[in-house]
Amino acid sequence: MWSFPTNVQAEGGFPIAIITLINDLLLVMIIMEVLRTVLSYLAERGGSLRPFLFIASISATRRILAIGAQMSVAGETLTAARFQQSMIDLGVNAGAILAIAIALFLLGKRPDE
């Protein structure tokens, strides 16, 4: 976050600086969620799978947003190989989010013990 002014003046300019800032903020959010989950686990002497699934979905969403933003900034300088790799990465992350959503749905259907 402190590097934002430096990134604005860098070669990529403002669009790259915004992408980097959003990416960094989402990373901080993921780290905070992991710490909150660990503290909750320690306090309760047990834990739930749900917080980790939420963290995983935030992480996959973060990656999708970063790839989309990088591709839009790259524009016509994007090579065919890089485009193909980005599409594969987007597909894998979308599949991960779908699997996480199904897992959260199934956890919601489970009777409480």
Side-chain angles (χ1 to χ4, degrees):
M1 287 186 290
W2 301 112
S3 63
F4 182 74
T6 307
N7 289 341
V8 170
Q9 298 170 355
E11 183 179 325
F14 188 73
I16 297 295
I18 290 293
I19 292 169
T20 304
L21 178 66
I22 291 171
N23 200 27
D24 291 346
L25 288 174
L26 288 171
L27 180 62
V28 167
M29 193 167 111
I30 291 167
I31 292 169
M32 287 175 43
E33 189 67 28
V34 168
L35 290 174
R36 186 177 69 85
T37 303
V38 169
L39 289 174
S40 172
Y41 176 80
L42 292 174
E44 296 175 8
R45 302 279 187 220
S48 172
L49 186 58
R50 267 193 192 98
F52 291 105
L53 291 173
F54 286 127
I55 293 166
S57 65
I58 292 169
S59 179
T61 303
R62 171 184 170 257
R63 184 68 186 140
I64 287 174
L65 292 173
I67 291 169
Q70 289 169 351
M71 287 177 60
S72 67
V73 168
E76 297 194 14
T77 61
L78 191 65
T79 64
R82 181 68 186 134
F83 178 78
Q84 182 180 9
Q85 182 63 38
S86 295
M87 290 296 110
I88 291 169
D89 202 1
L90 286 172
V92 168
N93 281 296
I97 290 174
L98 182 61
I100 292 166
I102 291 170
L104 284 168
F105 175 76
L106 293 174
L107 279 175
K109 291 286 188 181
R110 186 181 69 174
D112 291 334
E113 298 172 3

